[in-house]
Amino acid sequence: MHHRDTETDDAKPMVKKEDNKIGLIGATSYIVGSIIGSGIFIAPKGIVEHAGSVGLSLIIWVCCALLNMITAINFIELGTSIPESGADLAYISYMGWTPIAFSLLWLSLLIESSSSAAVLYLTFGEYLVQALDPIICFSPADADNASKLFGFGLLLFLTLMNMFSLNKFASRVQIISMCSKIFATLIIIGIGFFFIIFRGATSHYSSSEIMKGSDWKPGAIVLAIYQGNWAFGGFTTLNYGSEEIQIENFRKTLPRACLGGLAISAVIYVLVNVSYFAILTPQEVIDSDAVATTFIQRTIGNDAAFAVPAVVGFLLIGTLNGDIFGWSRYMVAGSRRKMMPTCFRNVDQLVDYLNIVSILTTIFPLAVLVIIKWRKMPVAADPVKYSIFWPVLNIIIMIALLVIPIQQDPISFIIGFSMFLGGVAVYFVVKFIVNHTQFLGVVDRKLTHLCQILTWTVVDIGPGEKTHL
C-alpha cells in the first residue's frame, strides 16, 4: 500500500514518490544489512561441525559466496526483466504457474518469515538482557519477559518506521546498521590478524593441521553449504521490493547493490573466520554457544566480553529491518494477485523442513529465466542480461543440493516437499471455494475498506509496466 497524496498536480506526487525511494547507498545497505547478522556468529559453528576442519570450513565459505554470486546474477536479470516487487512470486506468476506461486507464498509467509522474525527479535531481546544483566540483575522470569518486551518493542518500532519514507527513515537506519556491522566485524578481524602477525597464532594453519579432521562425504559437505547459504541469505532483499528503488538508474542500482553487497559480505565472512580459527580450534568453535564471545574472552579478556551481547543485539537491528522491508513487499505482491486477503512458534523443526521449500523457491524462478531466454519472451525494456549458461548451472547446483542430503535426512525432504505439494492442493481448494461463494469476497472488501480508513492508504494495484503474460 502507498500513502494517499492530496496533491492535484500529477507531476508533484510522482516526484515525491521518487524522492521517497532508496538509491544506491541505501540499496547496498539493505543487502549488507540483511546478510551480515546473526549468521556470522552462528553459521561458523554449523559449518565446521559438518566440515570437520579449518581448511574445509574456509573452502565452504568461499564456495557459498561463489554459489550465491551465481544465484545473484540470475536474480538481477530476473529483477530487471520483470521489475515488480515480490521476487520469486512475481517471476513465477509471470509464467502463469499460479498454484506453485501460491504454495511458496503461503509457506514462506506463514513459516519462514514469521520464524525468521521470531528468531531475530527474541535473539535481540536476549542479547540486550545479557548486556543489562550485570547492572539490573534480572531474575529468570523477568529476563524472559524483558527479552520479549525488548524484541516486540524493536519489531513495532521498525514496522512503524517502514510505513513512512524509506529514503528518509528506514534506509538511513539501514545505512547506520551496515556501517556498524562492518566496524564491529573489522574489530574481530583486526584482533585476529594482530595475533596472527605479531603473536604467531598460525598453528591451526600449518600443513599438518589445516585439513585435519575433514569430512569429505557429499552429504556432510552439502549440509555445511546449507549453513553457509543461510548466512548469506538476504541478497535477494531488493528483488522483494524492486518498486522501492529509485527508477532513475534502476538497472544499474540493482546489480551494483546486489553484487557489491554480496562481495563485501563474503570478504568479511572469510576474514572473520580466519580470525576465529587463529585463536580457536574447530572443536572449541563447535562447543561454543557464542563463538564471538569466546573469541573476545580468549584474546582481550572477560571484561571486554561483557560488551559482546550488546554489540550483537545492536547488529541484529539491520537484519530485522531488512526482513520487514522484504517480507512486507512480498505480502503486497501476493495481495495484488488475490492470493491473500487484500488488506495485508517452537519453530526450529519447521525451519529445517523449509530448507526444501527455500531451494524450490530458487529453482522455479531460475526455470522461469531459462524459459524466458530460450523462447525470447517479452520482458521489460533494457534488462540486465547474462548468458543462459548461468541459470542452467544454477539449477543443476540447486537440484544437487536438494537431492544429495536425501539419504542422510529423508524425513525432512519428505515433509518439506509434502508441504509444498500441500500448498499447491490448497490453492485449487481455495480457488474453488472463492469461485462458488460470495462471502469471502464481501469479507475481503470490507476488511480492506477498514484498513484503508485506519491507515489512510489506498490499495497498491502494481507497477504501470506490464510484467505478466
Side-chain angles (χ1 to χ4, degrees):
M1 293 183 177
H2 292 300
H3 287 277
R4 279 185 184 164
D5 205 317
T6 56
E7 304 270 6
T8 57
D9 185 356
D10 290 341
K12 289 182 180 179
M14 292 302 295
V15 172
K16 181 179 180 181
K17 185 177 180 180
E18 180 75 357
D19 289 341
N20 287 340
K21 294 184 178 182
I22 55 178
L24 176 60
I25 296 177
T28 304
S29 71
Y30 268 98
I31 297 295
V32 176
S34 297
I35 294 175
I36 301 178
S38 56
I40 193 59
F41 306 104
I42 298 173
K45 176 178 180 177
I47 289 179
V48 74
E49 190 170 11
H50 294 295
S53 70
V54 172
L56 186 54
S57 295
L58 295 177
I59 291 173
I60 293 295
W61 278 107
V62 174
C63 288
C64 288
L66 295 176
L67 173 60
N68 284 279
M69 283 286 186
I70 294 173
T71 305
I73 64 173
N74 292 319
F75 270 77
I76 288 169
E77 183 168 352
L78 280 166
T80 54
S81 298
I82 307 172
E84 184 176 350
S85 296
D88 56 273
L89 176 67
Y91 313 145
I92 297 171
S93 296
Y94 174 87
M95 295 301 299
W97 300 344
T98 310
I100 294 173
F102 177 89
S103 177
L104 295 175
L105 169 71
W106 277 95
L107 287 174
S108 296
L109 286 176
L110 291 179
I111 300 174
E112 187 174 11
S113 64
S114 58
S115 299
S116 175
V119 169
L120 287 171
Y121 79 71
L122 287 176
T123 302
F124 168 82
E126 289 168 0
Y127 275 115
L128 194 57
V129 167
Q130 288 180 30
L132 294 174
D133 191 58
I135 303 173
I136 301 179
C137 298
F138 291 101
S139 67
D142 289 341
D144 182 61
N145 292 331
S147 64
K148 293 177 181 177
L149 180 62
F150 288 139
F152 275 118
L154 175 66
L155 190 63
L156 177 61
F157 169 74
L158 293 177
T159 301
L160 292 175
M161 186 175 59
N162 272 268
M163 294 175 64
F164 297 96
S165 171
L166 281 173
N167 189 37
K168 294 180 180 179
F169 297 101
S171 69
R172 292 184 181 181
V173 169
Q174 201 70 6
I175 291 171
I176 294 172
S177 175
M178 177 186 70
C179 294
S180 302
K181 290 183 178 188
I182 293 175
F183 178 73
T185 52
L186 285 178
I187 291 176
I188 294 176
I189 293 169
I191 294 172
F193 277 79
F194 172 83
F195 274 79
I196 291 173
I197 296 171
F198 297 104
R199 299 287 181 87
T202 59
S203 60
H204 299 157
Y205 296 110
S206 65
S207 58
S208 61
E209 290 291 327
I210 190 167
M211 302 303 293
K212 184 178 180 180
S214 298
D215 188 345
W216 294 100
K217 293 193 294 291
I221 292 176
V222 169
L223 291 175
I225 290 175
Y226 279 180
Q227 295 289 325
N229 282 345
W230 176 76
F232 277 104
F235 66 88
T236 58
T237 295
L238 296 178
N239 292 75
Y240 284 94
S242 297
E243 296 157 41
E244 307 297 343
I245 301 173
Q246 290 179 356
I247 298 173
E248 183 181 4
N249 294 324
F250 169 77
R251 288 166 176 80
K252 293 181 180 179
T253 298
L254 182 61
R256 288 174 180 175
C258 187
L259 296 178
L262 253 176
I264 292 170
S265 303
V267 170
I268 288 175
Y269 276 172
V270 172
L271 293 180
V272 165
N273 278 275
V274 169
S275 297
Y276 283 160
F277 289 124
I279 306 300
L280 306 173
T281 66
Q283 191 58 50
E284 285 175 327
V285 173
I286 293 172
D287 293 338
S288 176
D289 292 329
V291 63
T293 302
T294 305
F295 175 82
I296 295 297
Q297 287 174 334
R298 291 282 299 275
T299 54
I300 300 180
N302 290 327
D303 292 338
F306 283 119
V308 173
V311 173
V312 174
F314 181 76
L315 297 185
L316 292 176
I317 294 176
T319 306
L320 186 53
N321 190 49
D323 271 12
I324 292 173
F325 171 86
W327 290 116
S328 61
R329 275 69 185 177
Y330 195 41
M331 185 179 295
V332 169
S335 299
R336 291 173 182 168
R337 292 167 175 81
K338 303 185 184 303
M339 296 181 187
M340 301 185 67
T342 313
C343 62
F344 287 76
R345 292 154 280 225
N346 188 350
V347 298
D348 291 345
Q349 194 63 56
L350 290 175
V351 174
D352 288 341
Y353 299 151
L354 208 66
N355 276 329
I356 308 302
V357 179
S358 298
I359 294 175
L360 293 173
T361 302
T362 303
I363 289 176
F364 283 112
L366 292 173
V368 170
L369 181 57
V370 171
I371 295 173
I372 287 175
K373 296 173 76 67
W374 185 264
R375 295 182 179 177
K376 295 181 171 55
M377 297 172 68
V379 293
D382 300 323
V384 175
K385 287 189 175 182
Y386 302 102
S387 169
I388 196 173
F389 167 80
W390 295 112
V392 171
L393 175 63
N394 210 165
I395 289 174
I396 293 172
I397 294 172
M398 299 308 293
I399 290 175
L401 293 177
L402 188 69
V403 172
I404 290 175
I406 291 178
Q407 184 178 1
Q408 193 158 340
D409 190 6
I411 300 300
S412 291
F413 176 83
I414 293 171
I415 295 178
F417 200 75
S418 297
M419 290 166 62
F420 164 69
L421 293 178
V424 173
V426 169
Y427 166 79
F428 289 104
V429 173
V430 172
K431 184 178 180 180
F432 176 83
I433 294 174
V434 170
N435 289 341
H436 290 79
T437 180
Q438 296 182 350
F439 174 72
L440 292 179
V442 173
V443 172
D444 181 67
R445 289 192 295 273
K446 295 294 184 181
L447 190 57
T448 300
H449 188 212
L450 176 62
C451 288
Q452 287 181 283
I453 294 173
L454 294 177
T455 60
W456 195 243
T457 54
V458 295
V459 175
D460 189 344
I461 60 174
E465 192 168 12
K466 185 179 179 181
T467 55
H468 56 84
L469 293 177

